[in-house]
């Protein structure tokens, strides 16, 4: 990411990248607080609440789900939280399951392994020592089976970036864990072999995690840092629904006893299933990051003169680019037809900028935006079948309460329906509504 505010169209692709804001300089330059436009309450910011929870939880463990549509800005919020937690002295591990693991095929044992991997790596980076006793237990776990040794060794040595002074014994373990991670990400056949060996011994894996944490806590206390490590797992919201059920519902209890603060992203579609109530036994008080409301539904009608959402999205655009690069009509259409969905907004801005440049214009006009929106409209309206139109018409006519029906689950998953306010009211994506009305698929 370039640390600039675009003042010409050739800079649009860089500053409106779909990548989350990660480092503190990016966040300082581009982040726009949208709490009130998301929730209707300026004092309900996710990061701010988590900051206080971490401060107040000295002897209890925070295990939380973090929920929201893909592309709504969850990862940026998690990076904000990571930086704040680190400044407060927490040993903080942030893992990207969608990058380091195979997000199309993840089991609960993969997640447990990944937590161990993150903790050992973070301990090494922070200069914390892990005793030979614990190192030996980890090595023995993976080296106790000839076939397992052969499978891991076939991965080859994974390159490591190690700090000066890293223990020799820990280097061996880090190398071993890196090789296992490589298999879980890239090798379907070897992955199955590893899972077959470790699934019956998952309780041993949990004990290894606890052993590492226990040694970290002592050293953190000596440094007058908070003793409880904080693990953030991003990307688990992107996994297939059936796999999410297996991880969180069938095996959620495996995570309950981990003596860490654990924050995990979670598929929004799974929140509208009967299993969700059971999952909250292990991950109580989940947090949601709703869409930014462009329209506000209250007491059976859209609130008149509601501008908070539009103004917030305009500010998001203005943080990254001079608004003089857009005609006023272009900005209005971008905001209104993307429904507060930041990923869709950025996609359309980038597409519209390219069209404007092909016209050799210095400004994005309304026609550029309309062409970009038409491509997105075609994309979204190709994701659902005619059988779901009846449910969408129901929403359009005012039944905006989110139910746990299979239809709603599918519509949320594909982005044709968007949830707002975190209080279970939803609406059609504006481009879905537009297409259905223009093609006489719904009336009202």
């Amino acid at each position: 990411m370039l640390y600039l505010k675009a003042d010409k169209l050739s800079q649009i692709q860089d500053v409106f990248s779909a990548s989350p804001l990660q480092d503190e300089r990016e966040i300082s330059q581009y982040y726009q607080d949208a709490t009130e436009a998301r929730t209707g309450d300026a004092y309900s910011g996710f990061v701010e609440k988590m900051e206080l929870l971490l401060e107040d939880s000295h002897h209890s463990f925070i295990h939380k789900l973090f929920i929201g549509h893909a592309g709504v800005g969850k990862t940026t919020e998690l990076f904000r939280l990571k930086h704040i937690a680190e400044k407060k002295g927490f040993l903080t591990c942030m893992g990207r399951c969608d990058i380091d693991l195979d997000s199309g095929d993840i089991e609960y044992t993969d997640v447990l392994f990944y937590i161990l991997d993150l903790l050992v790596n973070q301990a090494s980076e922070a200069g914390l020592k892990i005793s030979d006793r614990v190192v030996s237990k980890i090595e023995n776990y993976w080296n106790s089976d000839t076939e397992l040794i052969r499978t891991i060794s076939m991965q080859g040595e994974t390159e490591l970036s190690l700090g000066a002074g890293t223990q020799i014994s820990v280097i061996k373990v880090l190398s071993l864990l890196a090789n296992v991670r490589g298999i879980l990400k890239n090798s379907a056949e070897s992955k199955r072999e590893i899972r077959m060996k470790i699934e019956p011994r998952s309780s041993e894996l949990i004990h290894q995690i606890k052993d590492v944490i226990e040694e970290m806590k002592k050293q953190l206390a000596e440094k007058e840092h908070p003793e409880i490590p904080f693990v953030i797992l991003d990307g688990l919201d992107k996994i297939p629904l059936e796999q999410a059920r297996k991880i969180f519902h069938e095996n959620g209890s495996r995570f309950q006893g981990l003596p860490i603060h654990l924050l995990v992203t979670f598929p929004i579609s799974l929140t509208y299933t009967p299993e969700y109530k059971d999952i909250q036994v292990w991950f109580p008080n989940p947090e949601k990051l709703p869409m930014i409301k462009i329209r506000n539904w209250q007491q059976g009608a859209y609130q008149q003169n509601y501008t908070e959402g539009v103004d917030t999205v305009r500010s998001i655009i203005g943080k990254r680019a001079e608004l003089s690069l857009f005609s006023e009509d272009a900005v209005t259409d971008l905001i209104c037809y993307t429904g507060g969905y930041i990923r869709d907004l950025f996609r359309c801005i980038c597409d519209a900028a390219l069209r404007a440049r092909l016209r050799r214009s210095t400004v994005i006009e309304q026609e550029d935006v309309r062409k970009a929106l038409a491509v997105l409209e075609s994309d979204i309206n190709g994701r659902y079948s005619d059988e779901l139109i009846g449910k969408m018409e129901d929403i359009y006519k005012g039944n905006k309460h989110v139910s746990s029906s299979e239809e709603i689950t599918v519509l949320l998953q594909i982005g044709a329906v968007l949830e707002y306010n975190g209080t279970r009211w939803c609406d059609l994506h504006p481009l879905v509504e537009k297409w259905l009305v223009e093609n006489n698929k719904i009336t009202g």
Side-chain angles (χ1 to χ4, degrees):
M1 173 76 77
L2 298 177
Y3 302 106
L4 55 81
K5 183 174 181 177
D7 57 11
K8 51 189 176 183
L9 295 186
S10 60
Q11 297 168 335
I12 289 288
Q13 305 302 320
D14 283 331
V15 299
F16 286 97
S17 164
S19 300
L21 303 177
Q22 297 189 30
D23 66 54
E24 291 184 277
R25 186 176 171 190
E26 280 182 327
I27 291 168
S28 174
Q29 179 150 350
Y30 297 122
Y31 183 77
Q32 171 67 42
D33 181 29
T35 301
E36 192 161 1
R38 291 186 190 276
T39 67
D41 178 15
Y43 300 103
S44 61
F46 161 71
V47 170
E48 291 73 22
K49 285 194 293 183
M50 282 298 303
E51 182 181 356
L52 291 176
L53 265 177
L54 289 169
E55 283 182 9
D56 295 348
S57 302
H58 304 291
H59 305 289
S60 56
F61 304 115
I62 304 164
H63 286 189
K64 267 189 180 293
L65 304 175
F66 186 35
I67 302 160
H69 287 276
V72 75
K74 295 190 300 301
T75 302
T76 291
E77 297 295 326
L78 292 176
F79 274 113
R80 286 183 63 223
L81 178 58
K82 174 179 179 288
H83 295 310
I84 288 171
E86 287 173 339
K87 285 181 178 178
K88 291 185 174 295
F90 283 90
L91 187 135
T92 306
C93 312
M94 181 166 169
R96 303 288 301 278
C97 298
D98 52 334
I99 294 173
D100 292 335
L101 301 175
D102 177 3
S103 59
D105 179 18
I106 293 181
E107 299 285 350
Y108 81 93
T109 50
D110 303 356
V111 179
L112 287 172
F113 158 79
Y114 192 41
I115 291 172
L116 174 65
D117 182 31
L118 289 169
L119 287 168
V120 174
N121 272 277
Q122 194 62 42
S124 173
E125 190 173 312
L128 304 181
K129 304 297 182 184
I130 300 176
S131 69
D132 290 342
R133 177 186 66 85
V134 172
V135 167
S136 295
K137 284 180 70 174
I138 296 173
E139 285 185 305
N140 290 339
Y141 179 83
W142 298 100
N143 293 334
S144 59
D145 185 284
T146 305
E147 196 170 324
L148 188 58
I149 295 170
R150 182 185 60 81
T151 301
I152 296 172
S153 64
M154 286 172 61
Q155 167 69 19
E157 288 298 319
T158 303
E159 284 191 24
L160 298 174
S161 177
L162 301 171
T166 304
Q167 299 165 250
I168 299 299
S169 57
V170 171
I171 291 174
K172 289 174 62 180
V173 168
L174 289 172
S175 178
L176 185 153
L177 295 175
N179 287 345
V180 175
R181 188 182 346 114
I183 290 170
L184 294 177
K185 179 177 176 62
N186 299 311
S187 177
E189 185 176 345
S190 296
K191 184 192 305 183
R192 283 193 296 271
E193 292 179 21
I194 284 180
R195 286 173 177 167
M196 285 175 57
K197 297 294 182 182
I198 67 174
E199 203 282 332
R201 302 170 59 203
S202 59
S203 59
E204 292 180 52
L205 190 55
I206 292 170
H207 282 302
Q208 289 173 38
I209 295 171
K210 290 180 177 179
D211 286 342
V212 170
I213 293 167
E214 193 58 36
E215 298 208 336
M216 294 167 72
K217 284 175 66 176
K218 294 174 186 175
Q219 296 170 72
L220 289 168
E222 289 170 1
K223 295 183 177 185
E224 298 185 344
H225 287 198
E227 294 180 25
I228 304 173
F230 182 27
V231 177
I232 301 170
L233 295 182
D234 190 20
L236 287 175
D237 55 315
K238 299 179 176 69
I239 65 177
L241 195 57
E242 285 310 308
Q243 292 204 325
R245 282 191 170 100
K246 289 180 181 178
I247 291 172
F248 293 105
H249 185 246
E250 295 177 22
N251 294 286
S253 61
R254 310 274 185 170
F255 303 97
Q256 189 176 27
L258 295 179
I260 54 175
H261 298 316
L262 179 62
L263 181 65
V264 184
T265 57
F266 184 79
I268 191 169
S269 53
L270 194 51
T271 66
Y272 304 106
T273 65
E275 296 95 330
Y276 183 48
K277 179 177 178 291
D278 297 334
I279 292 167
Q280 290 184 62
V281 171
W282 305 301
F283 294 90
N285 305 316
E287 292 284 347
K288 286 190 177 182
L289 189 70
M291 293 287 174
I292 297 170
K293 300 187 299 290
I294 303 304
R295 301 184 290 185
N296 193 25
W297 183 262
Q298 287 189 336
Q299 299 177 334
Y302 290 113
Q303 180 183 347
Q304 295 296 311
N305 304 316
Y306 174 75
T307 62
E308 179 72 35
V310 171
D311 293 344
T312 298
V313 177
R314 187 183 298 273
S315 295
I316 289 171
I317 297 171
K319 282 265 186 175
R320 295 174 181 251
E322 298 292 345
L323 291 175
S324 58
L325 294 176
F326 305 81
S327 72
E328 185 57 36
D329 288 341
V331 172
T332 299
D333 281 358
L334 280 165
I335 295 172
C336 292
Y337 284 110
T338 54
Y341 199 164
I342 300 303
R343 178 175 292 177
D344 284 355
L345 173 73
F346 284 12
R347 169 182 169 175
C348 289
I349 287 174
C350 289
D351 286 353
L354 288 175
R355 186 178 187 274
R357 292 197 69 209
L358 288 170
R359 293 191 298 103
R360 302 192 183 283
S361 172
T362 58
V363 175
I364 296 172
E365 300 288 355
Q366 187 176 36
E367 184 63 17
D368 301 314
V369 168
R370 287 182 174 173
K371 293 295 185 183
L373 289 167
V375 174
L376 178 59
E377 179 182 314
S378 177
D379 180 3
I380 298 174
N381 286 295
R383 299 174 191 169
Y384 57 82
S385 62
D386 288 349
E387 287 77 14
L388 293 171
I389 291 177
K391 184 61 184 176
M392 290 191 282
E393 183 170 20
D394 197 28
I395 294 169
Y396 176 68
K397 289 181 175 179
N399 186 12
K400 299 186 187 296
H401 174 74
V402 183
S403 70
S404 59
S405 71
E406 186 175 341
E407 293 168 312
I408 282 289
T409 301
V410 171
L411 290 167
L412 286 164
Q413 207 167 13
I414 63 177
V417 167
L418 306 176
E419 182 189 344
Y420 294 97
N421 244 60
T423 54
R424 296 207 160 198
W425 81 269
C426 65
D427 215 344
L428 300 181
H429 190 297
L431 293 175
V432 171
E433 179 178 313
K434 175 176 175 289
W435 187 87
L436 290 173
V437 170
E438 288 177 352
N439 288 275
N440 299 312
K441 299 290 186 180
I442 58 176
T443 58

